[in-house]
Amino acid sequence: MSEIESRGYARPEVLVSTDWVASHLQDPSIRIIESNEDPLLYPSGHIPGAVEVDWTRDLNDPLRRDYLGREGFEALMRRIGVSQDTTVVFYGDRNNWWATYAYWVFQLFGHDKAKIMDGGRIKWEKEGRPLTKEVPSYPASEYRASERDDKKIRAFRDQVLEHLKAKKPLVDVRSPDEYTGKKLHMPEYPNEGALRGGHIPGAASVPWAKAINPEDGTFKTSSELRSLYENDAKIKPGDDVIVYCRIGERSSHTWFVLTHLLGYPRVRNYDGSWTEWGNLVGAPIER
């Protein structure tokens, strides 16, 4: 049994170790993808053979506040040489915030041959593993995508309003100061547009970072995670859960934990999150 399997996750196969990635660098059926918050990290050095998927440039519609459509996703996958049979392995900075965000967007198109490198960039670097500045080039694929399906894992503001009226569980994964309304933004970050502070009424506060071990960015064990969400947030495995943060990136990390590591069958990410809710005229807010 691997160290990851020993942690008792519902779906341990969605996580791979840095050792596993190191042993699959030449595997043509694997595409390693780096997704970061800091756009300077990838050009400064990345895992050999890894391609970059930038959340703003590659995953978003260039005009509307929305994700790319089917044709845009096909173009992205063709450009990075990914076919329907390729297993994509995501990693990145900030303890895999943006890696899980990219993973979540890929799931909107049903590309479920996808994994996260446990520990992300920080663990790879701490172990002194190789980094390169060489940008790889792969033959273009002929990827065919399904239409984007938002129903199962994505929530919109009207659905959140219905959810809150029905007193169903919500998890706010932002920092405590954002949750209480003391701050309109993440610690050490500028304000990004929310006019009101606070949280959606009834939402439990479980900051996303509580799910990881701060020394190496790896995910905590299933028993530790269950204690965190089932005791602290009082949610149960069969619950219909919506998670949110500021723009959906930190909450995609919590979505990944609840969905794959704990096996919750009904978890949606509200990517409009606080930048939308904190600006909605008449939306209920608690402090």
Side-chain angles (χ1 to χ4, degrees), residues 70-85:
R70 180 178 60 82
E71 288 182 1
F73 188 69
E74 285 179 343
L76 168 65
M77 298 299 254
R78 291 170 184 180
R79 177 168 62 78
I80 61 176
V82 171
S83 74
Q84 280 93 331
D85 296 324

Side-chain angles (χ1 to χ4, degrees), residues 61-117:
D61 183 281
L63 190 59
R64 294 176 304 139
R65 184 172 176 188
D66 198 3
Y67 300 107
L68 72 182
R70 180 178 60 82
E71 288 182 1
F73 188 69
E74 285 179 343
L76 168 65
M77 298 299 254
R78 291 170 184 180
R79 177 168 62 78
I80 61 176
V82 171
S83 74
Q84 280 93 331
D85 296 324
T86 306
T87 296
V88 291
V89 179
F90 296 96
Y91 78 97
D93 65 353
R94 305 288 284 173
N95 297 313
N96 278 333
W97 265 12
W98 301 96
T100 50
Y101 192 44
Y103 177 104
W104 177 77
V105 173
F106 273 49
Q107 298 318 296
L108 296 174
F109 294 95
H111 193 94
D112 54 8
K113 289 194 169 186
K115 302 177 187 293
I116 296 287
M117 185 178 83

Side-chain angles (χ1 to χ4, degrees), residues 63-271:
L63 190 59
R64 294 176 304 139
R65 184 172 176 188
D66 198 3
Y67 300 107
L68 72 182
R70 180 178 60 82
E71 288 182 1
F73 188 69
E74 285 179 343
L76 168 65
M77 298 299 254
R78 291 170 184 180
R79 177 168 62 78
I80 61 176
V82 171
S83 74
Q84 280 93 331
D85 296 324
T86 306
T87 296
V88 291
V89 179
F90 296 96
Y91 78 97
D93 65 353
R94 305 288 284 173
N95 297 313
N96 278 333
W97 265 12
W98 301 96
T100 50
Y101 192 44
Y103 177 104
W104 177 77
V105 173
F106 273 49
Q107 298 318 296
L108 296 174
F109 294 95
H111 193 94
D112 54 8
K113 289 194 169 186
K115 302 177 187 293
I116 296 287
M117 185 178 83
D118 193 36
R121 194 180 161 103
I122 185 176
K123 190 167 191 287
W124 185 272
E125 288 180 340
K126 280 190 167 186
E127 291 168 349
R129 296 183 186 270
L131 294 170
T132 181
K133 291 182 180 177
E134 187 179 333
V135 177
S137 174
Y138 296 102
S141 72
E142 295 182 3
Y143 195 93
R144 291 274 185 275
S146 307
E147 285 295 338
R148 198 182 75 209
D149 182 4
D150 295 336
K151 291 187 297 293
K152 188 163 186 269
I153 62 171
R154 188 181 185 192
F156 294 90
R157 64 185 186 191
D158 291 346
Q159 295 169 318
V160 176
L161 204 49
E162 290 165 15
H163 199 83
L164 125 77
K165 285 175 182 171
K167 294 186 162 48
K168 291 181 178 179
L170 288 147
V171 181
D172 184 319
V173 316
R174 298 173 300 159
S175 64
D177 279 353
E178 290 170 276
Y179 178 80
T180 61
K182 183 178 177 184
K183 287 187 174 173
L184 290 173
H185 52 85
M186 293 187 290
E188 317 308 325
Y189 279 70
N191 181 25
E192 289 175 291
L195 295 172
R196 298 284 183 272
H199 57 268
I200 298 174
S205 173
V206 186
W208 72 277
K210 286 190 172 183
I212 53 118
N213 297 301
E215 63 278 1
D216 65 358
T218 57
F219 288 98
K220 289 182 176 175
T221 66
S222 64
S223 59
E224 290 172 311
L225 294 171
R226 269 196 299 274
S227 173
L228 186 61
Y229 296 102
E230 292 171 19
N231 294 343
D232 294 10
K234 302 290 187 287
I235 55 177
K236 300 184 292 298
D239 283 345
D240 178 6
V241 182
I242 289 177
V243 293
Y244 74 92
C245 59
R246 178 187 54 97
I247 58 168
E249 85 293 14
R250 288 174 284 178
S251 48
S252 65
H253 192 278
T254 301
W255 168 86
F256 179 85
V257 169
L258 291 173
T259 300
H260 294 310
L261 305 189
L262 292 183
Y264 279 40
R266 295 194 295 165
V267 184
R268 286 173 292 163
N269 184 18
Y270 170 37
D271 58 278

